[in-house]
PDB file of all heavy atoms in Angstrom:
ATOM      1  N   ALA H  26     108.053 120.739  80.198  1.00 89.00           N
ATOM      2  CA  ALA H  26     109.263 120.957  80.971  1.00 89.00           C
ATOM      3  C   ALA H  26     110.048 122.147  80.427  1.00 89.00           C
ATOM      4  O   ALA H  26     110.608 122.936  81.194  1.00 89.00           O
ATOM      5  CB  ALA H  26     110.130 119.703  80.945  1.00 89.00           C
ATOM      6  N   ALA H  27     110.087 122.293  79.106  1.00 90.00           N
ATOM      7  CA  ALA H  27     110.783 123.436  78.513  1.00 90.00           C
ATOM      8  C   ALA H  27     110.117 124.743  78.935  1.00 90.00           C
ATOM      9  O   ALA H  27     110.791 125.730  79.254  1.00 90.00           O
ATOM     10  CB  ALA H  27     110.795 123.315  76.994  1.00 90.00           C
ATOM     11  N   GLY H  28     108.784 124.757  78.965  1.00 90.00           N
ATOM     12  CA  GLY H  28     108.077 125.954  79.410  1.00 90.00           C
ATOM     13  C   GLY H  28     108.330 126.267  80.873  1.00 90.00           C
ATOM     14  O   GLY H  28     108.503 127.429  81.252  1.00 90.00           O
ATOM     15  N   ALA H  29     108.362 125.229  81.721  1.00 90.00           N
ATOM     16  CA  ALA H  29     108.631 125.435  83.145  1.00 90.00           C
ATOM     17  C   ALA H  29     110.043 125.957  83.364  1.00 90.00           C
ATOM     18  O   ALA H  29     110.273 126.835  84.206  1.00 90.00           O
ATOM     19  CB  ALA H  29     108.418 124.128  83.905  1.00 90.00           C
ATOM     20  N   LEU H  30     111.003 125.433  82.604  1.00 91.00           N
ATOM     21  CA  LEU H  30     112.380 125.881  82.733  1.00 91.00           C
ATOM     22  C   LEU H  30     112.513 127.340  82.298  1.00 91.00           C
ATOM     23  O   LEU H  30     113.181 128.152  82.970  1.00 91.00           O
ATOM     24  CB  LEU H  30     113.299 124.994  81.896  1.00 91.00           C
ATOM     25  CG  LEU H  30     114.777 125.382  81.841  1.00 91.00           C
ATOM     26  CD1 LEU H  30     115.370 125.469  83.243  1.00 91.00           C
ATOM     27  CD2 LEU H  30     115.563 124.392  80.994  1.00 91.00           C
ATOM     28  N   LEU H  31     111.878 127.693  81.205  1.00 92.00           N
ATOM     29  CA  LEU H  31     111.940 129.071  80.716  1.00 92.00           C
ATOM     30  C   LEU H  31     111.316 130.032  81.725  1.00 92.00           C
ATOM     31  O   LEU H  31     111.869 131.104  82.004  1.00 92.00           O
ATOM     32  CB  LEU H  31     111.208 129.165  79.372  1.00 92.00           C
ATOM     33  CG  LEU H  31     111.279 130.505  78.640  1.00 92.00           C
ATOM     34  CD1 LEU H  31     112.731 130.858  78.311  1.00 92.00           C
ATOM     35  CD2 LEU H  31     110.444 130.466  77.371  1.00 92.00           C
ATOM     36  N   ALA H  32     110.187 129.665  82.311  1.00 91.00           N
ATOM     37  CA  ALA H  32     109.526 130.517  83.298  1.00 91.00           C
ATOM     38  C   ALA H  32     110.403 130.690  84.542  1.00 91.00           C
ATOM     39  O   ALA H  32     110.489 131.784  85.117  1.00 91.00           O
ATOM     40  CB  ALA H  32     108.177 129.919  83.683  1.00 91.00           C
ATOM     41  N   TYR H  33     111.059 129.625  84.944  1.00 92.00           N
ATOM     42  CA  TYR H  33     111.940 129.700  86.119  1.00 92.00           C
ATOM     43  C   TYR H  33     113.112 130.649  85.868  1.00 92.00           C
ATOM     44  O   TYR H  33     113.459 131.476  86.718  1.00 92.00           O
ATOM     45  CB  TYR H  33     112.442 128.292  86.449  1.00 92.00           C
ATOM     46  CG  TYR H  33     113.571 128.264  87.453  1.00 92.00           C
ATOM     47  CD1 TYR H  33     113.389 128.715  88.752  1.00 92.00           C
ATOM     48  CD2 TYR H  33     114.827 127.772  87.103  1.00 92.00           C
ATOM     49  CE1 TYR H  33     114.421 128.683  89.666  1.00 92.00           C
ATOM     50  CE2 TYR H  33     115.857 127.740  88.009  1.00 92.00           C
ATOM     51  CZ  TYR H  33     115.657 128.203  89.295  1.00 92.00           C
ATOM     52  OH  TYR H  33     116.673 128.174  90.208  1.00 92.00           O
ATOM     53  N   LEU H  34     113.729 130.570  84.709  1.00 92.00           N
ATOM     54  CA  LEU H  34     114.864 131.435  84.400  1.00 92.00           C
ATOM     55  C   LEU H  34     114.431 132.900  84.300  1.00 92.00           C
ATOM     56  O   LEU H  34     115.172 133.805  84.706  1.00 92.00           O
ATOM     57  CB  LEU H  34     115.520 130.985  83.091  1.00 92.00           C
ATOM     58  CG  LEU H  34     116.141 129.580  83.103  1.00 92.00           C
ATOM     59  CD1 LEU H  34     116.772 129.260  81.761  1.00 92.00           C
ATOM     60  CD2 LEU H  34     117.179 129.446  84.218  1.00 92.00           C
ATOM     61  N   ARG H  35     113.236 133.127  83.786  1.00 92.00           N
ATOM     62  CA  ARG H  35     112.734 134.506  83.736  1.00 92.00           C
ATOM     63  C   ARG H  35     112.518 135.050  85.141  1.00 92.00           C
ATOM     64  O   ARG H  35     112.819 136.220  85.425  1.00 92.00           O
ATOM     65  CB  ARG H  35     111.432 134.548  82.944  1.00 92.00           C
ATOM     66  CG  ARG H  35     111.623 134.439  81.425  1.00 92.00           C
ATOM     67  CD  ARG H  35     110.287 134.311  80.724  1.00 92.00           C
ATOM     68  NE  ARG H  35     110.449 134.297  79.264  1.00 92.00           N
ATOM     69  CZ  ARG H  35     109.493 133.933  78.420  1.00 92.00           C
ATOM     70  NH1 ARG H  35     108.312 133.537  78.894  1.00 92.00           N
ATOM     71  NH2 ARG H  35     109.711 133.958  77.117  1.00 92.00           N
ATOM     72  N   ARG H  36     111.979 134.225  86.046  1.00 91.00           N
ATOM     73  CA  ARG H  36     111.773 134.674  87.430  1.00 91.00           C
ATOM     74  C   ARG H  36     113.106 134.978  88.099  1.00 91.00           C
ATOM     75  O   ARG H  36     113.219 135.912  88.894  1.00 91.00           O
ATOM     76  CB  ARG H  36     111.024 133.603  88.226  1.00 91.00           C
ATOM     77  CG  ARG H  36     109.599 133.373  87.783  1.00 91.00           C
ATOM     78  CD  ARG H  36     108.771 132.673  88.861  1.00 91.00           C
ATOM     79  NE  ARG H  36     109.407 131.466  89.358  1.00 91.00           N
ATOM     80  CZ  ARG H  36     109.264 130.268  88.806  1.00 91.00           C
ATOM     81  NH1 ARG H  36     108.526 130.134  87.710  1.00 91.00           N
ATOM     82  NH2 ARG H  36     109.838 129.207  89.335  1.00 91.00           N
ATOM     83  N   GLN H  37     114.115 134.188  87.784  1.00 89.00           N
ATOM     84  CA  GLN H  37     115.443 134.433  88.354  1.00 89.00           C
ATOM     85  C   GLN H  37     115.961 135.798  87.933  1.00 89.00           C
ATOM     86  O   GLN H  37     116.454 136.577  88.761  1.00 89.00           O
ATOM     87  CB  GLN H  37     116.407 133.334  87.895  1.00 89.00           C
ATOM     88  CG  GLN H  37     117.886 133.621  88.113  1.00 89.00           C
ATOM     89  CD  GLN H  37     118.287 133.565  89.578  1.00 89.00           C
ATOM     90  OE1 GLN H  37     117.715 132.804  90.345  1.00 89.00           O
ATOM     91  NE2 GLN H  37     119.263 134.375  89.966  1.00 89.00           N
ATOM     92  N   ARG H  38     115.848 136.107  86.667  1.00 89.00           N
ATOM     93  CA  ARG H  38     116.374 137.377  86.171  1.00 89.00           C
ATOM     94  C   ARG H  38     115.556 138.558  86.700  1.00 89.00           C
ATOM     95  O   ARG H  38     116.108 139.615  87.033  1.00 89.00           O
ATOM     96  CB  ARG H  38     116.390 137.383  84.640  1.00 89.00           C
ATOM     97  CG  ARG H  38     117.275 138.474  84.052  1.00 89.00           C
ATOM     98  CD  ARG H  38     117.586 138.243  82.597  1.00 89.00           C
ATOM     99  NE  ARG H  38     116.381 138.334  81.765  1.00 89.00           N
ATOM    100  CZ  ARG H  38     116.414 138.270  80.432  1.00 89.00           C
ATOM    101  NH1 ARG H  38     117.570 138.085  79.815  1.00 89.00           N
ATOM    102  NH2 ARG H  38     115.311 138.355  79.734  1.00 89.00           N
ATOM    103  N   GLU H  39     114.239 138.381  86.809  1.00 89.00           N
ATOM    104  CA  GLU H  39     113.406 139.452  87.344  1.00 89.00           C
ATOM    105  C   GLU H  39     113.690 139.688  88.825  1.00 89.00           C
ATOM    106  O   GLU H  39     113.671 140.828  89.298  1.00 89.00           O
ATOM    107  CB  GLU H  39     111.932 139.095  87.143  1.00 89.00           C
ATOM    108  CG  GLU H  39     111.488 139.100  85.688  1.00 89.00           C
ATOM    109  CD  GLU H  39     110.096 138.513  85.513  1.00 89.00           C
ATOM    110  OE1 GLU H  39     109.488 138.143  86.554  1.00 89.00           O
ATOM    111  OE2 GLU H  39     109.631 138.422  84.364  1.00 89.00           O
ATOM    112  N   ALA H  40     113.956 138.617  89.580  1.00 87.00           N
ATOM    113  CA  ALA H  40     114.176 138.745  91.018  1.00 87.00           C
ATOM    114  C   ALA H  40     115.463 139.494  91.327  1.00 87.00           C
ATOM    115  O   ALA H  40     115.536 140.256  92.299  1.00 87.00           O
ATOM    116  CB  ALA H  40     114.200 137.367  91.670  1.00 87.00           C
ATOM    117  N   THR H  41     116.490 139.302  90.523  1.00 86.00           N
ATOM    118  CA  THR H  41     117.782 139.936  90.796  1.00 86.00           C
ATOM    119  C   THR H  41     118.000 141.205  89.999  1.00 86.00           C
ATOM    120  O   THR H  41     118.867 142.021  90.352  1.00 86.00           O
ATOM    121  CB  THR H  41     118.931 138.954  90.477  1.00 86.00           C
ATOM    122  OG1 THR H  41     118.877 138.596  89.086  1.00 86.00           O
ATOM    123  CG2 THR H  41     118.820 137.699  91.327  1.00 86.00           C
ATOM    124  N   GLY H  42     117.258 141.376  88.909  1.00 88.00           N
ATOM    125  CA  GLY H  42     117.480 142.542  88.064  1.00 88.00           C
ATOM    126  C   GLY H  42     118.822 142.518  87.377  1.00 88.00           C
ATOM    127  O   GLY H  42     119.377 143.564  87.005  1.00 88.00           O
ATOM    128  N   ALA H  43     119.373 141.327  87.177  1.00 89.00           N
ATOM    129  CA  ALA H  43     120.703 141.171  86.566  1.00 89.00           C
ATOM    130  C   ALA H  43     120.682 139.951  85.660  1.00 89.00           C
ATOM    131  O   ALA H  43     119.788 139.099  85.752  1.00 89.00           O
ATOM    132  CB  ALA H  43     121.764 141.010  87.648  1.00 89.00           C
ATOM    133  N   PRO H  44     121.662 139.836  84.770  1.00 90.00           N
ATOM    134  CA  PRO H  44     121.739 138.645  83.919  1.00 90.00           C
ATOM    135  C   PRO H  44     121.857 137.371  84.750  1.00 90.00           C
ATOM    136  O   PRO H  44     122.246 137.397  85.923  1.00 90.00           O
ATOM    137  CB  PRO H  44     123.007 138.884  83.093  1.00 90.00           C
ATOM    138  CG  PRO H  44     123.189 140.369  83.098  1.00 90.00           C
ATOM    139  CD  PRO H  44     122.699 140.831  84.431  1.00 90.00           C
ATOM    140  N   LEU H  45     121.516 136.263  84.132  1.00 91.00           N
ATOM    141  CA  LEU H  45     121.629 134.977  84.809  1.00 91.00           C
ATOM    142  C   LEU H  45     123.084 134.696  85.169  1.00 91.00           C
ATOM    143  O   LEU H  45     123.997 135.040  84.416  1.00 91.00           O
ATOM    144  CB  LEU H  45     121.108 133.852  83.909  1.00 91.00           C
ATOM    145  CG  LEU H  45     119.633 133.898  83.506  1.00 91.00           C
ATOM    146  CD1 LEU H  45     119.329 132.763  82.537  1.00 91.00           C
ATOM    147  CD2 LEU H  45     118.738 133.813  84.727  1.00 91.00           C
ATOM    148  N   PRO H  46     123.337 134.070  86.315  1.00 90.00           N
ATOM    149  CA  PRO H  46     124.716 133.679  86.634  1.00 90.00           C
ATOM    150  C   PRO H  46     125.172 132.556  85.711  1.00 90.00           C
ATOM    151  O   PRO H  46     124.422 131.617  85.434  1.00 90.00           O
ATOM    152  CB  PRO H  46     124.611 133.189  88.084  1.00 90.00           C
ATOM    153  CG  PRO H  46     123.189 132.764  88.238  1.00 90.00           C
ATOM    154  CD  PRO H  46     122.381 133.677  87.357  1.00 90.00           C
ATOM    155  N   HIS H  47     126.381 132.674  85.186  1.00 88.00           N
ATOM    156  CA  HIS H  47     126.898 131.621  84.317  1.00 88.00           C
ATOM    157  C   HIS H  47     128.428 131.641  84.366  1.00 88.00           C
ATOM    158  O   HIS H  47     129.026 132.261  85.255  1.00 88.00           O
ATOM    159  CB  HIS H  47     126.383 131.777  82.878  1.00 88.00           C
ATOM    160  CG  HIS H  47     126.605 133.136  82.281  1.00 88.00           C
ATOM    161  ND1 HIS H  47     127.845 133.577  81.875  1.00 88.00           N
ATOM    162  CD2 HIS H  47     125.747 134.165  82.019  1.00 88.00           C
ATOM    163  CE1 HIS H  47     127.760 134.789  81.378  1.00 88.00           C
ATOM    164  NE2 HIS H  47     126.490 135.179  81.454  1.00 88.00           N
ATOM    165  N   ARG H  48     129.041 130.974  83.445  1.00 83.00           N
ATOM    166  CA  ARG H  48     130.497 130.786  83.475  1.00 83.00           C
ATOM    167  C   ARG H  48     131.270 132.099  83.448  1.00 83.00           C
ATOM    168  O   ARG H  48     132.365 132.200  84.002  1.00 83.00           O
ATOM    169  CB  ARG H  48     130.934 129.917  82.295  1.00 83.00           C
ATOM    170  CG  ARG H  48     130.353 128.519  82.299  1.00 83.00           C
ATOM    171  CD  ARG H  48     130.779 127.775  81.052  1.00 83.00           C
ATOM    172  NE  ARG H  48     130.294 128.439  79.848  1.00 83.00           N
ATOM    173  CZ  ARG H  48     130.657 128.088  78.617  1.00 83.00           C
ATOM    174  NH1 ARG H  48     131.509 127.089  78.443  1.00 83.00           N
ATOM    175  NH2 ARG H  48     130.184 128.728  77.572  1.00 83.00           N
ATOM    176  N   HIS H  49     130.720 133.133  82.790  1.00 88.00           N
ATOM    177  CA  HIS H  49     131.435 134.389  82.655  1.00 88.00           C
ATOM    178  C   HIS H  49     130.743 135.535  83.392  1.00 88.00           C
ATOM    179  O   HIS H  49     131.008 136.692  83.114  1.00 88.00           O
ATOM    180  CB  HIS H  49     131.580 134.742  81.159  1.00 88.00           C
ATOM    181  CG  HIS H  49     132.293 133.691  80.369  1.00 88.00           C
ATOM    182  ND1 HIS H  49     131.653 132.902  79.442  1.00 88.00           N
ATOM    183  CD2 HIS H  49     133.575 133.275  80.390  1.00 88.00           C
ATOM    184  CE1 HIS H  49     132.524 132.051  78.906  1.00 88.00           C
ATOM    185  NE2 HIS H  49     133.698 132.257  79.465  1.00 88.00           N
ATOM    186  N   HIS H  50     129.840 135.173  84.304  1.00 89.00           N
ATOM    187  CA  HIS H  50     129.149 136.209  85.071  1.00 89.00           C
ATOM    188  C   HIS H  50     128.909 135.709  86.496  1.00 89.00           C
ATOM    189  O   HIS H  50     128.069 134.833  86.726  1.00 89.00           O
ATOM    190  CB  HIS H  50     127.811 136.565  84.420  1.00 89.00           C
ATOM    191  CG  HIS H  50     127.013 137.564  85.211  1.00 89.00           C
ATOM    192  ND1 HIS H  50     125.669 137.411  85.455  1.00 89.00           N
ATOM    193  CD2 HIS H  50     127.383 138.711  85.822  1.00 89.00           C
ATOM    194  CE1 HIS H  50     125.242 138.429  86.180  1.00 89.00           C
ATOM    195  NE2 HIS H  50     126.259 139.225  86.408  1.00 89.00           N
ATOM    196  N   LEU H  51     129.662 136.241  87.443  1.00 90.00           N
ATOM    197  CA  LEU H  51     129.486 135.901  88.852  1.00 90.00           C
ATOM    198  C   LEU H  51     128.488 136.891  89.452  1.00 90.00           C
ATOM    199  O   LEU H  51     128.760 138.089  89.542  1.00 90.00           O
ATOM    200  CB  LEU H  51     130.816 135.963  89.604  1.00 90.00           C
ATOM    201  CG  LEU H  51     130.733 135.743  91.114  1.00 90.00           C
ATOM    202  CD1 LEU H  51     130.163 134.372  91.433  1.00 90.00           C
ATOM    203  CD2 LEU H  51     132.112 135.914  91.756  1.00 90.00           C
ATOM    204  N   LEU H  52     127.345 136.400  89.853  1.00 90.00           N
ATOM    205  CA  LEU H  52     126.292 137.240  90.420  1.00 90.00           C
ATOM    206  C   LEU H  52     126.432 137.255  91.940  1.00 90.00           C
ATOM    207  O   LEU H  52     126.415 136.199  92.584  1.00 90.00           O
ATOM    208  CB  LEU H  52     124.918 136.703  90.015  1.00 90.00           C
ATOM    209  CG  LEU H  52     123.701 137.431  90.593  1.00 90.00           C
ATOM    210  CD1 LEU H  52     123.669 138.877  90.113  1.00 90.00           C
ATOM    211  CD2 LEU H  52     122.417 136.705  90.210  1.00 90.00           C
ATOM    212  N   ALA H  53     126.581 138.454  92.528  1.00 90.00           N
ATOM    213  CA  ALA H  53     126.673 138.627  93.982  1.00 90.00           C
ATOM    214  C   ALA H  53     125.407 139.316  94.463  1.00 90.00           C
ATOM    215  O   ALA H  53     125.039 140.378  93.972  1.00 90.00           O
ATOM    216  CB  ALA H  53     127.905 139.448  94.345  1.00 90.00           C
ATOM    217  N   GLU H  54     124.745 138.698  95.437  1.00 86.00           N
ATOM    218  CA  GLU H  54     123.470 139.208  95.927  1.00 86.00           C
ATOM    219  C   GLU H  54     123.566 139.476  97.425  1.00 86.00           C
ATOM    220  O   GLU H  54     123.955 138.596  98.205  1.00 86.00           O
ATOM    221  CB  GLU H  54     122.373 138.181  95.645  1.00 86.00           C
ATOM    222  CG  GLU H  54     121.001 138.589  96.147  1.00 86.00           C
ATOM    223  CD  GLU H  54     119.975 137.492  95.935  1.00 86.00           C
ATOM    224  OE1 GLU H  54     120.331 136.473  95.318  1.00 86.00           O
ATOM    225  OE2 GLU H  54     118.836 137.658  96.399  1.00 86.00           O
ATOM    226  N   SER H  55     123.227 140.690  97.841  1.00 86.00           N
ATOM    227  CA  SER H  55     123.219 141.059  99.255  1.00 86.00           C
ATOM    228  C   SER H  55     121.785 141.042  99.762  1.00 86.00           C
ATOM    229  O   SER H  55     120.872 141.558  99.109  1.00 86.00           O
ATOM    230  CB  SER H  55     123.825 142.447  99.447  1.00 86.00           C
ATOM    231  OG  SER H  55     123.751 142.839 100.808  1.00 86.00           O
ATOM    232  N   CYS H  56     121.569 140.443 100.934  1.00 81.00           N
ATOM    233  CA  CYS H  56     120.219 140.320 101.460  1.00 81.00           C
ATOM    234  C   CYS H  56     120.264 140.251 102.989  1.00 81.00           C
ATOM    235  O   CYS H  56     121.298 139.907 103.572  1.00 81.00           O
ATOM    236  CB  CYS H  56     119.540 139.075 100.900  1.00 81.00           C
ATOM    237  SG  CYS H  56     120.519 137.584 101.138  1.00 81.00           S
ATOM    238  N   PRO H  57     119.153 140.574 103.670  1.00 81.00           N
ATOM    239  CA  PRO H  57     119.124 140.511 105.129  1.00 81.00           C
ATOM    240  C   PRO H  57     119.241 139.078 105.632  1.00 81.00           C
ATOM    241  O   PRO H  57     118.801 138.129 104.977  1.00 81.00           O
ATOM    242  CB  PRO H  57     117.755 141.108 105.481  1.00 81.00           C
ATOM    243  CG  PRO H  57     117.316 141.832 104.262  1.00 81.00           C
ATOM    244  CD  PRO H  57     117.918 141.118 103.106  1.00 81.00           C
ATOM    245  N   ASP H  58     119.838 138.923 106.810  1.00 76.00           N
ATOM    246  CA  ASP H  58     119.904 137.621 107.457  1.00 76.00           C
ATOM    247  C   ASP H  58     118.484 137.211 107.854  1.00 76.00           C
ATOM    248  O   ASP H  58     117.754 137.993 108.450  1.00 76.00           O
ATOM    249  CB  ASP H  58     120.799 137.702 108.694  1.00 76.00           C
ATOM    250  CG  ASP H  58     121.008 136.345 109.328  1.00 76.00           C
ATOM    251  OD1 ASP H  58     120.042 135.800 109.906  1.00 76.00           O
ATOM    252  OD2 ASP H  58     122.137 135.827 109.272  1.00 76.00           O
ATOM    253  N   PRO H  59     118.047 135.980 107.533  1.00 74.00           N
ATOM    254  CA  PRO H  59     116.665 135.586 107.852  1.00 74.00           C
ATOM    255  C   PRO H  59     116.386 135.507 109.344  1.00 74.00           C
ATOM    256  O   PRO H  59     115.232 135.624 109.759  1.00 74.00           O
ATOM    257  CB  PRO H  59     116.523 134.216 107.183  1.00 74.00           C
ATOM    258  CG  PRO H  59     117.912 133.709 107.030  1.00 74.00           C
ATOM    259  CD  PRO H  59     118.773 134.913 106.820  1.00 74.00           C
ATOM    260  N   VAL H  60     117.433 135.312 110.174  1.00 71.00           N
ATOM    261  CA  VAL H  60     117.239 135.212 111.619  1.00 71.00           C
ATOM    262  C   VAL H  60     117.259 136.596 112.271  1.00 71.00           C
ATOM    263  O   VAL H  60     116.435 136.908 113.130  1.00 71.00           O
ATOM    264  CB  VAL H  60     118.316 134.303 112.244  1.00 71.00           C
ATOM    265  CG1 VAL H  60     118.102 134.183 113.758  1.00 71.00           C
ATOM    266  CG2 VAL H  60     118.285 132.921 111.597  1.00 71.00           C
ATOM    267  N   HIS H  61     118.221 137.426 111.874  1.00 71.00           N
ATOM    268  CA  HIS H  61     118.342 138.779 112.430  1.00 71.00           C
ATOM    269  C   HIS H  61     118.382 139.787 111.277  1.00 71.00           C
ATOM    270  O   HIS H  61     119.430 140.350 110.976  1.00 71.00           O
ATOM    271  CB  HIS H  61     119.610 138.908 113.278  1.00 71.00           C
ATOM    272  CG  HIS H  61     119.670 137.923 114.406  1.00 71.00           C
ATOM    273  ND1 HIS H  61     118.864 138.010 115.525  1.00 71.00           N
ATOM    274  CD2 HIS H  61     120.441 136.812 114.587  1.00 71.00           C
ATOM    275  CE1 HIS H  61     119.141 137.006 116.344  1.00 71.00           C
ATOM    276  NE2 HIS H  61     120.089 136.268 115.799  1.00 71.00           N
ATOM    277  N   PRO H  62     117.251 140.040 110.625  1.00 69.00           N
ATOM    278  CA  PRO H  62     117.248 140.908 109.438  1.00 69.00           C
ATOM    279  C   PRO H  62     117.659 142.348 109.725  1.00 69.00           C
ATOM    280  O   PRO H  62     118.125 143.037 108.821  1.00 69.00           O
ATOM    281  CB  PRO H  62     115.794 140.833 108.955  1.00 69.00           C
ATOM    282  CG  PRO H  62     115.004 140.393 110.150  1.00 69.00           C
ATOM    283  CD  PRO H  62     115.916 139.510 110.933  1.00 69.00           C
ATOM    284  N   ASP H  63     117.489 142.813 110.975  1.00 73.00           N
ATOM    285  CA  ASP H  63     117.830 144.196 111.298  1.00 73.00           C
ATOM    286  C   ASP H  63     119.280 144.368 111.709  1.00 73.00           C
ATOM    287  O   ASP H  63     119.777 145.496 111.783  1.00 73.00           O
ATOM    288  CB  ASP H  63     116.925 144.713 112.428  1.00 73.00           C
ATOM    289  CG  ASP H  63     115.452 144.692 112.037  1.00 73.00           C
ATOM    290  OD1 ASP H  63     115.191 144.866 110.832  1.00 73.00           O
ATOM    291  OD2 ASP H  63     114.602 144.489 112.915  1.00 73.00           O
ATOM    292  N   ARG H  64     119.961 143.263 111.991  1.00 71.00           N
ATOM    293  CA  ARG H  64     121.318 143.344 112.535  1.00 71.00           C
ATOM    294  C   ARG H  64     122.392 142.821 111.599  1.00 71.00           C
ATOM    295  O   ARG H  64     123.542 143.246 111.675  1.00 71.00           O
ATOM    296  CB  ARG H  64     121.394 142.571 113.861  1.00 71.00           C
ATOM    297  CG  ARG H  64     120.566 143.197 114.970  1.00 71.00           C
ATOM    298  CD  ARG H  64     120.340 142.216 116.117  1.00 71.00           C
ATOM    299  NE  ARG H  64     121.548 141.512 116.493  1.00 71.00           N
ATOM    300  CZ  ARG H  64     121.558 140.461 117.320  1.00 71.00           C
ATOM    301  NH1 ARG H  64     120.432 139.989 117.802  1.00 71.00           N
ATOM    302  NH2 ARG H  64     122.696 139.867 117.627  1.00 71.00           N
ATOM    303  N   ARG H  65     122.042 141.882 110.754  1.00 77.00           N
ATOM    304  CA  ARG H  65     123.069 141.266 109.911  1.00 77.00           C
ATOM    305  C   ARG H  65     122.578 141.126 108.482  1.00 77.00           C
ATOM    306  O   ARG H  65     121.377 141.061 108.233  1.00 77.00           O
ATOM    307  CB  ARG H  65     123.456 139.878 110.449  1.00 77.00           C
ATOM    308  CG  ARG H  65     124.266 139.898 111.726  1.00 77.00           C
ATOM    309  CD  ARG H  65     125.005 138.588 111.909  1.00 77.00           C
ATOM    310  NE  ARG H  65     124.113 137.451 112.013  1.00 77.00           N
ATOM    311  CZ  ARG H  65     123.786 136.855 113.163  1.00 77.00           C
ATOM    312  NH1 ARG H  65     124.292 137.304 114.293  1.00 77.00           N
ATOM    313  NH2 ARG H  65     122.982 135.818 113.179  1.00 77.00           N
ATOM    314  N   ARG H  66     123.529 141.061 107.558  1.00 83.00           N
ATOM    315  CA  ARG H  66     123.227 140.799 106.161  1.00 83.00           C
ATOM    316  C   ARG H  66     124.054 139.613 105.682  1.00 83.00           C
ATOM    317  O   ARG H  66     125.047 139.230 106.330  1.00 83.00           O
ATOM    318  CB  ARG H  66     123.510 142.036 105.298  1.00 83.00           C
ATOM    319  CG  ARG H  66     122.642 143.222 105.637  1.00 83.00           C
ATOM    320  CD  ARG H  66     122.811 144.315 104.609  1.00 83.00           C
ATOM    321  NE  ARG H  66     122.324 143.941 103.276  1.00 83.00           N
ATOM    322  CZ  ARG H  66     121.031 144.005 102.928  1.00 83.00           C
ATOM    323  NH1 ARG H  66     120.112 144.390 103.789  1.00 83.00           N
ATOM    324  NH2 ARG H  66     120.672 143.695 101.695  1.00 83.00           N
TER     325      ARG H  66
END
């Protein structure tokens, strides 16, 4: 379980290219709308 948790947190940081979100870091992520990816974010 410790290995699975560590791998998950690494994937999170790699996916966003930013530190993990925590008490002193608010992570804001902009992405396309899954229904209308060309029109809305």
Side-chain angles (χ1 to χ4, degrees):
L30 176 56
L31 186 61
Y33 168 63
L34 296 181
R35 284 173 176 166
R36 293 199 308 273
Q37 166 72 32
R38 197 164 66 175
E39 291 170 2
T41 61
L45 297 176
H47 53 73
R48 298 177 299 172
H49 302 110
H50 176 226
L51 175 60
L52 177 63
E54 178 184 355
S55 177
C56 53
D58 185 290
V60 181
H61 302 288
D63 299 329
R64 294 164 45 191
R65 288 200 299 258
R66 296 189 66 82

